[in-house]
Amino acid sequence: MDTTKTITHLSLCAGYGGIDLGLRRVLPNVRTVAYVEIEAFACTNLVAKMESKQLDAAPIWTNLKTFDARPFRGQVDILSGGFPCQPFSHAGQRKGTDDPRHLFPDIERIILECEPRMLFLENVEGIISSKYGGTEQSVLHHVLGRLETMGYRAEAGLFSAEEIGAPHRRKRVFIAGVRELPNNDGERFVREQEGD
């Protein structure tokens, strides 16, 4: 990736813009083109950060399930998302993929629609032990397998906030993916959605 040019970024499940702020620290030329966030307080926080120039000014969509990424096809270098952790969190009921807050299928659809060059996803440690549907496969392995099917070379790692000097552990799984091959699945998906 040419880091001397503007790097475009689509922020899914943006929350308070933590991933966005981190990307700006390591890639000064990154430009967020849109945010998707459903929580009203988080949206208010995003707007305040845009007004104070901490984040790029860009539209906010409030429903990931209805967000249409097709207009962004070929326009996104990095897609990020800290998709909801409640289905996998040890602090919750751990309903996994049966939880209506399990949004990876919508993130998968959006990836197919816009075909970003790189992916950066985040979730809680529980995604490693949560099982996909009625299988013995972990949700994390399912996600990595789906990304591979879509043409991405993806890897995951478990890191804690403590490792970078924070006073708490707060372990998180980070998934990074790079698009390797042209993705016929994405092209076929977009044609089907457009009725071709």
Side-chain angles (χ1 to χ4, degrees), residues 89-165:
S89 175
H90 293 292
Q93 297 177 16
R94 291 184 53 88
K95 292 182 179 180
T97 56
D98 293 331
D99 192 309
R101 294 169 293 188
H102 173 54
L103 295 182
F104 182 74
D106 295 292
I107 290 175
E108 182 177 1
R109 171 188 56 80
I110 291 167
I111 291 168
L112 288 170
E113 287 178 347
C114 71
E115 292 188 340
R117 293 173 60 196
M118 298 178 72
L119 307 169
F120 188 68
L121 306 173
E122 176 267 335
N123 212 288
V124 293
E125 182 179 14
I127 198 171
I128 297 170
S129 58
S130 290
K131 302 302 179 194
Y132 180 75
T135 72
E136 286 302 308
Q137 182 184 43
S138 77
V139 173
L140 176 60
H141 282 115
H142 172 76
V143 168
L144 291 171
R146 292 303 303 148
L147 295 176
E148 182 179 321
T149 299
M150 291 187 281
Y152 291 87
R153 185 180 74 245
E155 294 190 18
L158 179 64
F159 303 93
S160 74
E162 186 178 50
E163 292 176 66
I164 57 165

Side-chain angles (χ1 to χ4, degrees), residues 1-178:
M1 177 179 298
D2 185 353
T3 58
T4 63
K5 297 180 181 176
T6 299
I7 300 165
T8 55
H9 171 233
L10 175 58
S11 182
L12 306 180
C13 305
Y16 298 150
I19 292 176
D20 304 77
L21 293 170
L23 285 174
R24 286 178 70 141
R25 290 184 78 178
V26 296
L27 298 169
N29 295 339
V30 74
R31 167 79 173 98
T32 301
V33 295
Y35 304 90
V36 181
E37 175 54 52
I38 197 168
E39 297 295 332
F41 186 79
C43 290
T44 302
N45 186 285
L46 290 172
V47 169
K49 285 179 176 151
M50 286 186 236
E51 290 173 349
S52 69
K53 307 283 190 244
Q54 291 177 287
L55 292 177
D56 295 311
I60 301 173
W61 272 264
T62 58
N63 192 337
L64 186 77
K65 292 179 178 287
T66 61
F67 177 70
D68 182 3
R70 289 173 293 184
F72 294 96
R73 188 174 183 79
Q75 305 299 315
V76 175
D77 292 312
I78 302 172
L79 177 145
S80 72
F83 57 104
C85 63
Q86 295 93 333
F88 317 111
S89 175
H90 293 292
Q93 297 177 16
R94 291 184 53 88
K95 292 182 179 180
T97 56
D98 293 331
D99 192 309
R101 294 169 293 188
H102 173 54
L103 295 182
F104 182 74
D106 295 292
I107 290 175
E108 182 177 1
R109 171 188 56 80
I110 291 167
I111 291 168
L112 288 170
E113 287 178 347
C114 71
E115 292 188 340
R117 293 173 60 196
M118 298 178 72
L119 307 169
F120 188 68
L121 306 173
E122 176 267 335
N123 212 288
V124 293
E125 182 179 14
I127 198 171
I128 297 170
S129 58
S130 290
K131 302 302 179 194
Y132 180 75
T135 72
E136 286 302 308
Q137 182 184 43
S138 77
V139 173
L140 176 60
H141 282 115
H142 172 76
V143 168
L144 291 171
R146 292 303 303 148
L147 295 176
E148 182 179 321
T149 299
M150 291 187 281
Y152 291 87
R153 185 180 74 245
E155 294 190 18
L158 179 64
F159 303 93
S160 74
E162 186 178 50
E163 292 176 66
I164 57 165
H168 56 283
R169 294 187 89 184
R170 194 179 169 129
K171 289 186 176 181
R172 292 294 182 264
V173 172
F174 290 94
I175 301 166
V178 177

